[in-house]
Amino acid sequence: GEDVEQSLFLSVREGDSSVINCTYTDSSSTYLYWYKQEPGAGLQLLTYIFSNMDMKQDQRLTVLLNKKDKHLSLRIADTQTGDSAIYFCAETFGPFNSGYSTLTFGKGTMLLVSP
Amino acid sequence: SAVISQKPSRDICQRGTSLTIQCQVDSQVTMMFWYRQQPGQSLTLIATANQGSEATYESGFVIDKFPISRPNLTFSTLTVSNMSPEDSSIYLCSARSTRASGTARTDTQYFGPGTRLTVL
């Protein structure tokens, strides 16, 4: 079945760049998402990339997709202490035109930003 | 984007009782879902809430334990029935918005703030 893997923990200093990595197994993935979860809160959609793209940039966030290696990364430039959170990678699988496809989540990467 | 609210935000319940969680979306969405996030874990899909018909449950989840309603396009409820301590978890409502333009389609999925349930 489908599987999404992430490293569990990343620690960076304020001002540095953070790179959170994700690998997935389902080659028929249509969308890949990054969500942020702060302590005690729900999930905030950060960004997503469609499977026919290889890069998407949105302010401090850059998403890179390598379809051949089934590898997705999220780069956060100039990381701030407010970026400390758990980051979840998620993919959709299932027939694109079916109108019904579910999200599969990774276990999340805890990002800790120190001053 | 869609803004999702949930009620209650948290509750502490006794074993054997039931709790109904409400989810309201501020705009019409194509699909609504319910997820569970156990402590320190990722999200697990419980079911897809279908408007006007029975929900579609994932493996390991059944209607008797988690009855779901979706009377219209913007509202859904999840009931956790006959609770036990193993049901202690965060329950998240989610909604998917789909925009189609010609042959292109954009799916974005949003989450509510979650309901933190503790069963004693």
Side-chain angles (χ1 to χ4, degrees):
Chain A
E2 66 290 345
D3 197 16
V4 178
E5 299 282 341
Q6 297 178 241
S7 52
L8 294 182
F9 184 76
L10 176 65
S11 178
V12 300
R13 299 185 76 94
E14 194 172 24
D16 289 349
S17 291
S18 307
V19 180
I20 302 171
N21 295 300
C22 171
T23 58
Y24 59 97
T25 57
D26 187 357
S27 58
S28 64
S29 296
T30 51
Y31 287 93
L32 297 117
Y33 299 81
W34 285 104
Y35 288 90
K36 175 183 179 184
Q37 186 177 37
E38 297 182 40
L43 270 71
Q44 174 193 354
L45 176 63
L46 284 179
T47 187
Y48 62 91
I49 189 167
F50 188 47
S51 58
N52 70 353
M53 300 166 66
D54 52 23
M55 187 181 92
K56 182 177 181 181
Q57 187 151 2
D58 184 1
Q59 299 182 329
R60 292 191 296 124
L61 305 178
T62 303
V63 179
L64 295 177
L65 175 60
N66 181 328
K67 280 194 71 177
K68 175 174 167 290
D69 295 338
K70 300 192 185 71
H71 181 265
L72 181 74
S73 68
L74 173 70
R75 179 177 181 269
I76 306 172
D78 187 25
T79 314
Q80 303 297 307
T81 54
D83 294 324
S84 293
I86 299 175
Y87 290 81
F88 290 94
C89 167
E91 62 158 358
T92 57
F93 77 101
F96 180 78
N97 294 320
S98 71
Y100 175 66
S101 58
T102 59
L103 273 182
T104 299
F105 282 86
K107 293 192 185 317
T109 299
M110 179 176 289
L111 174 65
L112 180 63
V113 183
S114 54
Chain B
S1 66
V3 177
I4 303 174
S5 58
Q6 285 184 234
K7 289 196 296 188
S9 58
R10 58 178 61 227
D11 208 343
I12 300 173
C13 300
Q14 295 295 323
R15 181 195 294 263
T17 62
S18 298
L19 175 72
T20 295
I21 303 167
Q22 297 180 4
C23 175
Q24 179 73 55
V25 188
D26 70 342
S27 57
Q28 291 188 353
V29 291
T30 50
M31 303 183 78
M32 294 182 73
F33 306 90
W34 287 96
Y35 286 80
R36 181 172 74 182
Q37 186 180 25
Q38 293 179 302
Q41 300 295 312
S42 186
L43 280 77
T44 301
L45 179 64
I46 297 171
T48 302
N50 299 309
Q51 188 204 354
S53 64
E54 190 173 291
T56 305
Y57 289 85
E58 298 299 304
S59 175
F61 297 96
V62 295
I63 188 171
D64 290 346
K65 175 68 176 176
F66 297 102
I68 288 170
S69 78
R70 188 180 173 194
N72 58 51
L73 287 174
T74 63
F75 184 79
S76 178
T77 66
L78 167 75
T79 300
V80 186
S81 303
N82 188 24
M83 288 184 282
S84 67
E86 292 71 35
D87 295 319
S88 297
S89 191
I90 299 173
Y91 292 86
L92 295 116
C93 175
S94 180
R96 181 173 298 176
S97 163
T98 299
R99 285 183 296 130
S101 176
T103 57
R105 194 182 91 184
T106 303
D107 284 343
T108 46
Q109 188 158 335
Y110 302 94
F111 285 81
T115 296
R116 186 179 295 270
L117 172 62
T118 302
V119 184
L120 302 177

